[in-house]
Amino acid sequence: ILNVEQSPQSLHVQEGDSTNFTCSFPSSNFYALHWYRWETAKSPEALFVMTLNGDEKKKGRISATLNTKEGYSYLYIKGSQPEDSATYLCAPYTGTASKLTFGTGTRLQVTL
Amino acid sequence: GAVVSQHPSWVICKSGTSVKIECRSLDFQATTMFWYRQFPKQSLMLMATSNEGSKATYEQGVEKDKFLINHASLTLSTLTVTSAHPEDSSFYICSAKPLPGNTIYFGEGSWLTVV
């Protein structure tokens, strides 16, 4: 079983703050890393699929970077808004496992 | 974006009965669908990979005779929890992977309570 760690487990920020979370995963047999945003009572929303070392992807105020050699990815949110409140999940996809293995997520709460 | 619909969202059943959960890809064909389970404060755990027209591949520790998976068409996979017991109470969620593409899309999930 892959060990996927996300930190922090939860985060409470004020509107307008920028924030970032970490996803750590084994670097061997890496194929891709998926980031999801999961709001309560909704489907997890795919944010990014990252494959290359040094990859940086951006979607609005959210961006992510990937380091496959050391096995980590950062997710950044610039100028957090209340609608960003959600659980952010990362899941590496490895060649050996041929499946997504999820971390427990980072729960973000943005207040006014 | 692609839409995956899961039904029912909530279900309560009596111990010993069976319950079926459906997962449909609404606007794409999915040769592969995945079924996950999540217990409180834990991560999503893959139960099985469902392949259209063939038998599902179950993860270690998941009883294939208890969790029956059928993927009869390119847009529908079903998970049947047979002879449900209270310890099967959990959140079940499916996902589907269209071809081509790397993105995997999720349903809304189903809460199962066995009483």
Side-chain angles (χ1 to χ4, degrees), chain A residues 10-67:
Chain A
S10 64
L11 195 55
H12 190 164
V13 302
Q14 299 288 319
E15 182 184 16
D17 289 348
S18 294
T19 186
N20 64 84
F21 336 126
T22 305
C23 171
S24 301
F25 52 88
S27 55
S28 58
N29 297 305
F30 175 86
Y31 184 75
L33 182 80
H34 295 239
W35 277 102
Y36 287 88
R37 177 174 172 272
W38 195 1
E39 287 183 74
T40 303
K42 294 185 178 180
S43 307
E45 175 195 354
L47 290 174
F48 306 114
V49 180
M50 309 177 80
T51 55
L52 300 175
N53 184 46
D55 237 358
E56 181 170 346
K57 295 207 172 182
K58 189 173 181 181
K59 185 176 183 179
R61 293 178 291 99
I62 304 176
S63 61
T65 59
L66 178 66
N67 183 321

Side-chain angles (χ1 to χ4, degrees), chain B residues 22-97:
Chain B
E22 292 188 349
C23 179
R24 292 180 185 275
S25 56
L26 297 185
D27 51 2
F28 64 95
Q29 292 184 331
T31 54
T32 305
M33 291 185 171
F34 305 89
W35 287 96
Y36 294 82
R37 179 170 54 182
Q38 185 180 37
F39 291 109
K41 298 190 184 297
Q42 295 187 21
S43 58
L44 289 170
M45 294 299 294
L46 182 66
M47 299 176 66
T49 301
S50 168
N51 299 297
E52 187 268 335
S54 63
K55 291 183 179 180
T57 303
Y58 290 82
E59 294 300 302
Q60 194 172 9
V62 178
E63 300 175 55
K64 62 180 181 181
D65 294 330
K66 181 169 182 62
F67 298 99
L68 301 180
I69 290 173
N70 186 288
H71 193 157
S73 78
L74 287 172
T75 59
L76 174 64
S77 177
T78 60
L79 168 68
T80 301
V81 183
T82 63
S83 186
H85 288 98
E87 56 266 30
D88 298 324
S89 299
S90 186
F91 180 75
Y92 294 84
I93 190 168
C94 70
S95 66
K97 185 176 183 299

Side-chain angles (χ1 to χ4, degrees), chain A residues 96-112:
Chain A
T96 43
S98 296
K99 62 182 181 182
L100 292 179
T101 301
F102 283 87
T104 50
T106 293
R107 186 171 180 177
L108 173 68
Q109 188 172 355
V110 183
T111 52
L112 295 171

